[in-house]
Amino acid sequence: MSVQQVTAVRTWVLDDPEDVRAAAAALAEGRAVAHGFGNIYALAFRPGRDTVERVNRLKGRPAEQTASLVTVPERIPSAFDWTRLPDGVPREQVRSLMDELVGLGPIGLRGPAADRVPGALARDDDGVRTVQVIVPGTRCPSHAFLGAALARTGGDFLAVTSANRSHHLTGREQEPAHWRAEGLAEEFGGESGVRVLAHADEEAARRRHPFHRTTSVSVLSFLRVAGRTRSGLPVLVLERHGSLSADHIRAVAANHGFGLAPAPHATVPLVPRAYGPA
């Protein structure tokens, strides 16, 4: 669907430099921006605790829930404490694996958090301070927006979450992430604290990511290993089976000297949001 078909519900367009500047200014002022993120949409916002708590309440999450971190590709490594990798996991191989996955499209990466990661974006995991980095991949034009927003806020990192309602406070299951702007605008467009920065062409955004389903991202963890393969390779953990399939991630990981094992809750892939007739 092209931008011309949904102009009534789109506030700004991701490929328009003026719209990108306006969205970055809105984020710097404290609003969340629902923006094109690979082949779906995500909410980016300032990483301060007050803003994180407000967006959590907006989504239906517990206010104190930790947010994920997003940044431009060149700053991804600075989110992690590379001195705290598990024994036998080489740093350079992890980084080359990360680079390939980010080059394919949207992906999540969880590992030991660097000290510079804001407190609202880090959580304790058995005594290790951890961070979950969620990025749209290098094929997505949203990096212009993320870079402009970082320049406006003066930091290296922003907070990010999926563009959906969680309903954890009402006992309902989390809804799938949005991948159409009209559904996104219908759900969040009436919120005074949210602005929409839409894909100029959603079909083109999906074509740029042929290996990814229209769901929240898959999350690969290098926080600890799940044993070793028969050939002795360290086994990394797939914490969420999202847009990029476990088989695809396993094949890429093998190229960099790793095995892959899904966590018990990640054996079944996420299902994309279903929309009614256009």
Side-chain angles (χ1 to χ4, degrees):
M1 182 172 294
S2 69
V3 66
Q4 289 82 7
Q5 293 172 281
V6 289
T7 51
V9 297
R10 292 194 176 186
T11 305
W12 291 309
V13 180
L14 189 58
D15 290 353
D16 186 312
E18 291 187 6
D19 287 357
V20 165
R21 285 192 289 270
L27 185 147
E29 292 166 0
R31 294 181 176 88
V33 176
H35 66 94
F37 194 93
N39 57 347
I40 59 170
Y41 287 92
L43 285 164
F45 44 102
R46 293 189 74 121
R49 191 166 299 279
D50 289 348
T51 308
V52 171
E53 290 180 355
R54 177 171 56 79
V55 174
N56 279 337
R57 288 191 292 267
L58 171 72
K59 281 175 55 80
R61 287 177 165 180
E64 68 278 6
Q65 184 166 327
T66 303
S68 297
L69 180 154
V70 68
T71 190
V72 290
E74 59 269 23
R75 300 186 191 180
I76 294 172
S78 66
F80 297 109
D81 182 349
W82 297 99
T83 69
R84 305 197 70 172
L85 289 180
D87 291 341
V89 176
R91 176 189 308 188
E92 292 308 315
Q93 287 176 227
V94 173
R95 292 186 62 162
S96 65
L97 170 59
M98 285 172 41
D99 288 345
E100 183 168 353
L101 291 172
V102 172
L104 288 174
I107 192 69
L109 305 158
R110 195 161 83 88
D115 290 342
R116 63 204 307 236
V117 171
L121 307 186
R123 65 182 176 90
D124 180 82
D125 189 321
D126 291 335
V128 179
R129 189 172 183 264
T130 69
V131 62
Q132 182 168 279
V133 176
I134 304 291
V135 290
T138 56
R139 302 184 185 193
C140 181
S142 62
H143 292 302
F145 160 65
L146 294 173
L150 290 170
R152 285 270 190 168
T153 59
D156 291 318
F157 311 123
L158 300 171
V160 69
T161 185
S162 51
N164 56 0
R165 302 283 187 179
S166 297
H167 300 293
H168 290 173
L169 300 182
T170 61
R172 292 170 56 190
E173 294 184 0
Q174 176 170 302
E175 298 175 0
H178 280 287
W179 51 276
R180 287 185 180 176
E182 66 266 30
L184 175 72
E186 182 178 351
E187 185 156 12
F188 291 104
E191 300 285 352
S192 60
V194 178
R195 296 291 182 267
V196 176
L197 183 65
H199 287 298
D201 186 327
E202 289 171 344
E203 292 181 3
R206 293 192 289 275
R207 287 195 300 270
R208 281 195 292 267
H209 302 93
F211 305 117
H212 294 72
R213 296 183 296 269
T214 51
T215 70
S216 293
V217 303
S218 296
V219 178
L220 177 67
S221 172
F222 48 90
L223 181 63
R224 54 183 59 90
V225 297
R228 292 187 174 270
T229 66
R230 291 181 179 178
S231 58
L233 300 178
V235 177
L236 305 181
V237 177
L238 182 66
E239 292 195 344
R240 184 167 70 200
H241 194 172
S243 57
L244 189 61
S245 75
D247 287 343
H248 201 126
I249 296 173
R250 183 176 291 107
V252 174
N255 291 335
H256 297 271
F258 298 106
L260 182 74
H265 56 273
T267 56
V268 178
L270 300 180
V271 177
R273 178 182 286 264
Y275 293 95

